[in-house]
Amino acid sequence: RTAYEADITYVTAKEAGFDYLRDSLCLELKELTQRKFNMTIVDEADFILIDEARIPLVIAEKIASAKKASKKINNIINELKAGVDYDLDEYSRNIYLTEAGVDRVEEKLGCGNIYSEENYDLLLELYSALHANILLKRDVDYIVKDRKVELVDEFTGRIADRRALPDGLQAAVEAKEGLSAFSECKILNSITMQHFIKMYPKLCGMTGTASTSSAELMNYYGLEVAVIPTNKLLIRKDYEDYIFTTQEAKLKALISEIQAVHATGRPILVGTASIEESEKLAKELQRLGAHCNVLNAKNDEREAAIISKAGSLGAVTVSTNMAGRGTDIRLGGENEERRAEVVALGGLYVIGANKHESCRVDNQLRGRSGRQGDPGSSRFFISLEDDLIKRYGKTSRLFIKEKVYKSQVSPIENPALKNAIRKVQKLAEGQNEDIRLLLWRYSNIVEAQRQIIFSRRMDILKGNEDYYSFSRLAPKEY
């Protein structure tokens, strides 16, 4: 309360949102922490206002899970065959049972018609288990730490603190990993980040990667994007992408590039898409004698120490998106006297091990190099077997042709291929934008009702409203 009463309050967007939700549960006036909203300035605005906007803030309490069949269901799912018993949609976002799969599951469970009303809970549990086992990957979507499932934020690579999967999915993942304490939560209140931020009468923000999302920022928040020139001239060199047909060829070229640059003493930052990929690459580098530091959600407590050395002479840092957004890597590391040597070598060399679904995430990784007029360079290594291409470009004739006829080790020199990859990334961005728009439309209806209830509740709490007047709320106000 003391912090919120100050003229200027520094707070994370999530913490402010959760404080708002906690206030909505208070039973006494003295328990309220926040005061009337006035103005907010959002740092890393595209991440908070767009990427995080898909995930609602939810305040909940844990309840005992009533699920009994989780182990049996997992055993059944492990016996199912892709393309025979279940199929995925075009972009592998959803999973569903085929007719053969339904027959097999019904026989194994001995439940009769799985779609009958009395089997509703069982059906929900079955599909949660299918999603958890087939679509969610350990060390990509989540990690297991201290016998607990921790979700990984796809945009930051960090553990999503106090975040749980909804609708029985969290319990399904825990069952998949052999954890006995299944988690179920009763939702007490929720709000999307979009609606929470929009409650501030004055809103603005800053980020280095807003221009590509200017249309969304205008549509959702009525905010215009102004591009401000950098304080010092940007002299970073962004090289053309290297494209390979196979993951194996890409990995060999990637390691060869790291070894060659490392031999000069120039610091290198390698950005990977997942914990699994970062550990695989680091293990191969270590095997070949190139010492490197690994930064991912499994060792996030060492983040400050690893980043402080990432710009040192001879440093190789392999990281997930944790080293992507808002991270300052000082040339020379903790030793200012070595800065001139690193500058002479060309500054920090950033290597992207693949492209993300959002070009803003790629640009954030690039932006770790060449800051404040420092020298630096960046290059992305792409394979036609990367998840982005497999998911969104699998029907492209150009990709299929290149994979069939050109399984060479050297990079593919084909301008049309580079354009096709850019189109694949735009397709992914467009789909994610459509998802956000759909969620926005749904949440608008719920938010309108939530605001009415919240306003009435606050009036009652402050003594401005008789309790029974709520029941007389005119239908037209809805």
Side-chain angles (χ1 to χ4, degrees), residues 252-465:
K252 286 181 179 177
L254 188 58
I255 289 172
S256 176
E257 179 87 348
I258 293 169
Q259 286 180 311
V261 176
H262 178 55
T264 69
R266 186 180 180 189
I268 305 168
L269 172 67
V270 186
T272 61
S274 67
I275 298 167
E276 181 182 58
E277 188 179 23
S278 67
E279 292 181 338
K280 180 181 177 182
L281 178 59
K283 188 176 180 180
E284 188 64 19
L285 288 171
Q286 300 277 17
R287 188 182 69 81
L288 296 171
H291 174 73
C292 64
N293 286 315
V294 181
L295 176 60
N296 59 40
K298 287 186 176 180
N299 63 349
D300 54 357
E301 68 279 354
R302 294 182 55 226
E303 179 178 1
I306 293 172
I307 290 298
S308 68
K309 297 173 183 175
S312 303
L313 206 64
V316 178
T317 308
V318 179
S319 175
T320 56
N321 293 339
M322 282 182 68
R325 184 179 286 274
T327 303
D328 281 316
I329 297 175
R330 299 173 67 178
L331 299 188
E334 296 172 313
N335 190 345
E336 281 288 334
E337 296 175 2
R338 309 303 295 267
R339 173 181 163 79
E341 294 179 62
V342 175
V343 169
L345 289 168
L348 180 67
Y349 183 27
V350 170
I351 299 176
N354 39 48
K355 289 291 184 88
H356 193 272
E357 287 186 8
S358 169
C359 69
R360 289 183 290 106
V361 176
D362 294 337
N363 290 337
Q364 286 285 346
L365 179 61
R366 275 199 180 98
R368 298 317 97 204
S369 179
R371 299 172 74 79
Q372 292 294 321
D374 287 338
S377 59
S378 71
R379 189 190 296 276
F380 280 81
F381 285 65
I382 306 167
S383 145
L384 299 186
E385 293 179 344
D386 286 349
D387 286 342
L388 178 69
I389 310 273
K390 283 198 296 186
R391 178 179 281 193
Y392 297 98
K394 57 188 174 185
T395 58
S396 169
R397 292 181 181 177
L398 182 58
F399 293 148
I400 295 169
K401 178 184 174 183
E402 291 289 354
K403 287 185 73 174
V404 170
Y405 298 109
K406 294 188 177 180
S407 57
Q408 75 268 34
V409 175
S410 57
I412 303 169
E413 292 297 331
N414 186 344
L417 193 63
K418 292 176 181 178
N419 287 331
I421 290 172
R422 278 194 283 269
K423 287 180 180 178
V424 164
Q425 196 172 36
K426 285 183 178 179
L427 173 63
E429 288 177 327
Q431 283 200 6
N432 286 325
E433 188 176 334
D434 289 343
I435 290 170
R436 289 192 292 268
L437 179 60
L438 190 63
L439 289 174
W440 173 256
R441 287 172 175 169
Y442 275 115
S443 59
N444 266 344
I445 300 166
V446 176
E447 178 61 15
Q449 297 178 17
R450 195 199 63 77
Q451 280 286 5
I452 292 170
I453 295 169
F454 181 77
S455 298
R456 289 283 172 157
R457 190 182 192 283
M458 293 303 289
D459 282 339
I460 295 166
L461 192 63
K462 294 176 181 178
N464 300 333
E465 184 78 50

Side-chain angles (χ1 to χ4, degrees), residues 92-200:
S92 302
R93 294 187 188 276
N94 299 294
I95 186 168
Y96 55 91
L97 290 171
T98 62
E99 286 188 22
V102 170
D103 292 340
R104 190 168 183 177
V105 166
E106 288 175 347
E107 181 185 347
K108 293 280 185 181
L109 288 174
C111 62
N113 183 3
I114 189 71
Y115 293 106
S116 63
E117 188 176 347
E118 62 270 18
N119 286 328
Y120 174 78
D121 289 337
L122 188 61
L123 181 67
L124 180 61
E125 190 175 351
L126 174 67
Y127 268 93
S128 293
L130 264 174
H131 191 105
N133 281 272
I134 309 300
L135 298 183
L136 299 181
K137 296 180 182 178
R138 183 170 178 166
D139 291 341
V140 177
D141 302 297
Y142 66 91
I143 63 171
V144 178
K145 192 173 184 179
D146 300 328
R147 291 197 56 78
K148 288 197 305 185
V149 170
E150 303 275 11
L151 302 186
V152 177
D153 190 306
E154 65 172 309
F155 293 100
T156 66
R158 291 181 169 84
I159 288 176
D161 188 36
R162 292 178 291 180
R163 185 182 294 173
L165 293 164
D167 302 326
L169 264 180
Q170 187 78 12
V173 174
E174 290 170 353
K176 169 189 173 183
E177 296 298 335
L179 304 176
S180 56
F182 303 143
S183 300
E184 286 294 320
C185 293
K186 176 184 177 184
I187 295 175
L188 303 177
N189 202 355
S190 70
I191 190 171
T192 65
M193 185 60 75
Q194 284 175 325
H195 286 113
F196 172 67
I197 293 290
K198 279 174 67 73
M199 290 171 68
Y200 287 85

